[in-house]
Amino acid sequence: MELTHVTVAVDAMGGDRAPEAVLPGVAAALQADPALTVALVGPDEVVAPFATERSRVTPVAASQVIAMDEHPANAVRSKPDSSIVVGCRLVRDGAADAFFSAGSTGACMAAATLIVGRAQGVSRPAIAAIIPAPSRPVVLLDIGANADCKPEHLVQFAFMGAAYARTMLGVAQPSVGLLNIGEEPTKGSALAQAAHALLAQRVPGFIGNVEGRDLPRGAVDVVVTDGFTGNVALKVMEGLSAVLFSEIKSAMTSSPVRAAAAAVLKGSLTQLKHRLDPDAYGGAPLLGIKRPCLIGHGSSGPEAIAAGIAAAARAARLGLVEIVARDVASAGVA
Amino acid sequence: MELTHVTVAVDAMGGDRAPEAVLPGVAAALQADPALTVALVGPDEVVAPFATERSRVTPVAASQVIAMDEHPANAVRSKPDSSIVVGCRLVRDGAADAFFSAGSTGACMAAATLIVGRAQGVSRPAIAAIIPAPSRPVVLLDIGANADCKPEHLVQFAFMGAAYARTMLGVAQPSVGLLNIGEEPTKGSALAQAAHALLAQRVPGFIGNVEGRDLPRGAVDVVVTDGFTGNVALKVMEGLSAVLFSEIKSAMTSSPVRAAAAAVLKGSLTQLKHRLDPDAYGGAPLLGIKRPCLIGHGSSGPEAIAAGIAAAARAARLGLVEIVARDVASAGVA
């Protein structure tokens, strides 16, 4: 099947290792996808030389950079010529079909909402994370865009997450769970109780409450929660994963004999680490935005950057945002 | 130093492996502590034969058992002769100095609150978990007693958690963090923002916001949050830890050569697993109750039961609840 041509706007300055990690990531993405064009956004001295050597790269100058620790909305407003803002403008104006950055998630969300705009019918765009549970990838949302939510928002998240699982992960009928602190419908906070009632009424595939331990276990395809709880859950997983792998490494190298044994196992443990690496899915999609926008982890290397660009291209080709908008409209809640 | 004599009321029927795991746990606790007496609460046919063989065990008959999945408050009301309710009554009446159960956390909290009662000045008792981070144990509260909280509650939690860290863990000046989704004081939900302001005003040792990844890393001594977020965070950690150890085991035994190498490492990995086992700290204390009450994990084996009984005895000897009440009173928030 011939691939439709797509253009992805890529933030050359996004991530802790930008632009060094981004440029080879772009090169790898282009090589893997002959129908891809990249609008590479960043300082002229970074993007121009890279573009002159490649026919499918359009350099787009942006003189400013938004740092990871800047206040998202303020930075977007005060830096109109930043790579994130310029990239989002390209998407808004139709010069690009999708946007990818490994920069500040907050700034990307702010720019995407303010510049690209919300998809029709979406009250609150959400950031989703794809958790690589052993049994299946779990779409968790929101992970930080909306610290305080209403039950109606969680219903929209359910439709957006399910649309993502169906379209991008190929799950025919995604199951949806509400993150809560007990199985019974009457458990949890006032928000969780009200959300449970509304989800049960409106969301096909809703299977009820799931608990924290069900997230890493992969008990359902989609888990909805407010952006506060989702962010804490995601960061707890990131932190614990790092701590455990580091502790295991120490335990395994605490004597020469152990180190020799560990060397035999290095390959399979590295494989495991890769398999459990969320970057494999191409970063966090901003769902409910008018065009596909994906955010890579700040620590993204070239492989993760390439995966993110590929996911953005795929989302554009599959019409993800149109499907999200149609499904949210069918939910009938605002 | 001679130990003060204490009596701990122990729920013989608490936990997934009760009473089989509880009885040897009681025996081990008695052996380790010559000044300990146990009031063992459970069906007569379980507690009487065990007590006749031991001079420091008083059998207390309780004909009912509250199952793990019963509605906490309803079960406490409808089963007045359950081991949890009878155990709490012993503590209320002064026949025991402290209570330990590895049964339903919710039912224990309900019984402790309704029967033993709140310590003076405490608005909302909280359940704390001791997270065994590599650098230090972290006291996390609330982990589920209060799904919806006010900022004032979080201030009381801070004082209760710090009192626990000082008294039971020997931390001279515990640092306290607010679980949030960003470092700046203005980040997070409405609750988190208001709590940050109040904590900064009232709590000595408050160092500001911490994020999800700081929990397993052990960035502070005490982390306060509402019971919804705390419960999700704790269960995410439990779930991920189980998934990772199981995946690592599979990866390490996927070929005969790997299995041989893994055999060399088994000892140090088992040690690591033990070191990261929360049960080592003797279970989850119910803070803000008039007498020490500790809840063990449902999966507790004899060692964890013994550790829980020892922690309950220690809390009674050190005057934990008096210290908690005094500190909460000094906070001046209700």
Side-chain angles (χ1 to χ4, degrees):
Chain A
M1 193 183 81
E2 207 166 314
L3 289 172
T4 323
H5 174 262
V6 291
T7 301
V8 177
V10 175
D11 174 8
M13 305 309 286
D16 307 332
R17 290 190 276 159
E20 290 74 23
V22 178
L23 301 182
V26 171
L30 288 166
Q31 190 167 19
D33 183 347
L36 170 70
T37 299
V38 166
L40 188 63
V41 190
D44 198 50
E45 66 273 22
V46 170
V47 299
F50 185 81
T52 51
E53 289 170 25
R54 283 163 188 87
S55 60
R56 285 185 283 133
V57 177
T58 313
V60 181
S63 62
Q64 295 173 307
V65 174
I66 295 177
M68 293 301 244
D69 56 356
E70 287 188 66
H71 183 282
N74 292 351
V76 166
R77 271 187 282 264
S78 66
K79 292 187 170 171
D81 202 38
S82 61
S83 51
I84 289 175
V85 170
V86 173
C88 284
R89 235 186 271 134
L90 292 176
V91 175
R92 178 196 64 193
D93 298 342
D97 305 298
F99 176 67
F100 175 78
S101 170
S104 155
T105 307
C108 289
M109 187 44 140
T113 309
L114 292 169
I115 299 165
V116 183
R118 286 178 295 158
Q120 211 186 341
V122 171
S123 311
R124 301 270 200 109
I127 310 170
I130 321 301
I131 314 288
S135 52
R136 60 175 130 192
V138 177
V139 182
L140 170 68
L141 74 170
D142 175 32
I143 58 158
N146 312 282
D148 289 302
C149 286
K150 293 182 186 167
E152 290 76 13
H153 302 145
L154 269 61
V155 171
Q156 288 204 344
F157 297 169
F159 279 90
M160 301 200 293
Y164 184 92
R166 240 174 27 245
T167 311
M168 297 286 285
L169 304 174
V171 183
Q173 296 182 308
S175 54
V176 177
L178 170 67
L179 190 54
N180 204 335
I181 62 171
E183 287 176 15
E184 304 77 19
T186 55
K187 284 274 178 166
S189 59
L191 169 65
Q193 293 180 28
H196 188 288
L198 202 57
L199 287 160
Q201 238 177 58
R202 301 295 180 95
V203 176
F206 180 61
I207 57 120
N209 293 330
V210 295
E211 297 193 67
R213 58 174 158 254
D214 296 317
L215 260 183
R217 276 182 195 169
V220 275
D221 297 305
V222 178
V223 173
V224 293
T225 188
D226 63 89
F228 189 87
T229 311
N231 185 280
V232 167
L234 183 73
K235 287 188 178 161
V236 161
M237 282 191 275
E238 287 180 357
L240 182 59
S241 189
V243 165
L244 280 182
F245 273 107
S246 142
E247 288 287 305
I248 284 163
K249 203 174 161 187
S250 308
M252 286 172 85
T253 51
S254 53
S255 80
V257 177
R258 284 186 191 132
V264 176
L265 297 166
K266 205 182 164 190
S268 60
L269 287 181
T270 306
Q271 254 179 23
L272 172 64
K273 224 174 153 176
H274 274 286
R275 191 151 57 74
L276 300 177
D277 181 358
D279 289 342
Y281 293 101
L286 306 185
L287 296 176
I289 299 293
K290 248 185 210 154
R291 295 279 168 273
C293 295
L294 278 93
I295 314 305
H297 205 276
S299 63
S300 291
E303 261 183 78
I305 298 284
I309 298 170
R314 208 159 149 258
R317 284 178 179 131
L318 295 172
L320 174 66
V321 296
E322 290 77 11
I323 295 169
V324 165
R326 189 198 62 199
D327 288 6
V328 167
S330 80
V333 296
Chain B
M1 194 184 80
E2 209 168 310
L3 289 172
T4 323
H5 174 262
V6 291
T7 301
V8 177
V10 176
D11 174 8
M13 304 310 284
D16 308 332
R17 290 189 277 157
E20 290 73 24
V22 178
L23 301 183
V26 170
L30 288 166
Q31 191 165 22
D33 182 347
L36 170 70
T37 299
V38 166
L40 188 63
V41 189
D44 197 50
E45 65 274 21
V46 170
V47 299
F50 185 81
T52 52
E53 288 170 26
R54 283 162 189 87
S55 60
R56 285 184 284 133
V57 177
T58 314
V60 181
S63 63
Q64 295 172 307
V65 175
I66 296 178
M68 291 303 242
D69 56 356
E70 286 188 66
H71 184 283
N74 292 352
V76 167
R77 271 187 281 264
S78 66
K79 292 187 170 171
D81 201 38
S82 61
S83 51
I84 289 175
V85 170
V86 173
C88 284
R89 233 186 273 135
L90 291 177
V91 174
R92 177 196 65 192
D93 298 341
D97 305 298
F99 177 67
F100 174 78
S101 170
S104 155
T105 307
C108 288
M109 187 45 140
T113 308
L114 292 170
I115 299 165
V116 183
R118 286 178 293 158
Q120 211 186 342
V122 170
S123 311
R124 300 271 200 108
I127 310 169
I130 320 302
I131 314 288
S135 52
R136 60 175 131 194
V138 177
V139 181
L140 170 68
L141 74 169
D142 176 34
I143 59 159
N146 311 282
D148 289 302
C149 286
K150 293 182 183 165
E152 289 76 14
H153 302 145
L154 269 60
V155 170
Q156 289 205 344
F157 297 171
F159 279 90
M160 300 199 295
Y164 184 91
R166 240 174 28 245
T167 311
M168 297 286 285
L169 304 173
V171 183
Q173 295 182 308
S175 53
V176 178
L178 169 67
L179 190 56
N180 204 336
I181 63 172
E183 287 175 15
E184 304 77 19
T186 56
K187 286 273 179 164
S189 59
L191 169 64
Q193 292 180 28
H196 188 287
L198 202 57
L199 287 161
Q201 240 176 57
R202 301 295 179 95
V203 176
F206 180 61
I207 58 121
N209 293 329
V210 296
E211 297 193 65
R213 58 174 159 256
D214 296 317
L215 260 183
R217 277 183 193 167
V220 275
D221 297 305
V222 178
V223 173
V224 293
T225 187
D226 63 89
F228 188 87
T229 311
N231 185 279
V232 167
L234 183 74
K235 286 188 179 160
V236 161
M237 283 190 273
E238 286 180 356
L240 181 59
S241 189
V243 165
L244 281 182
F245 273 107
S246 142
E247 288 288 304
I248 284 163
K249 200 174 164 187
S250 310
M252 286 173 81
T253 51
S254 53
S255 81
V257 177
R258 285 187 191 131
V264 176
L265 297 165
K266 205 181 164 192
S268 61
L269 287 180
T270 305
Q271 253 179 22
L272 173 64
K273 225 175 152 176
H274 274 286
R275 192 152 56 74
L276 300 177
D277 182 357
D279 289 342
Y281 293 100
L286 306 185
L287 297 176
I289 299 293
K290 248 186 210 153
R291 294 280 169 271
C293 296
L294 278 93
I295 314 303
H297 205 277
S299 64
S300 291
E303 260 182 79
I305 298 284
I309 297 170
R314 212 163 144 255
R317 284 179 180 132
L318 295 171
L320 174 65
V321 296
E322 290 76 13
I323 295 170
V324 165
R326 189 199 63 200
D327 288 7
V328 166
S330 80
V333 297

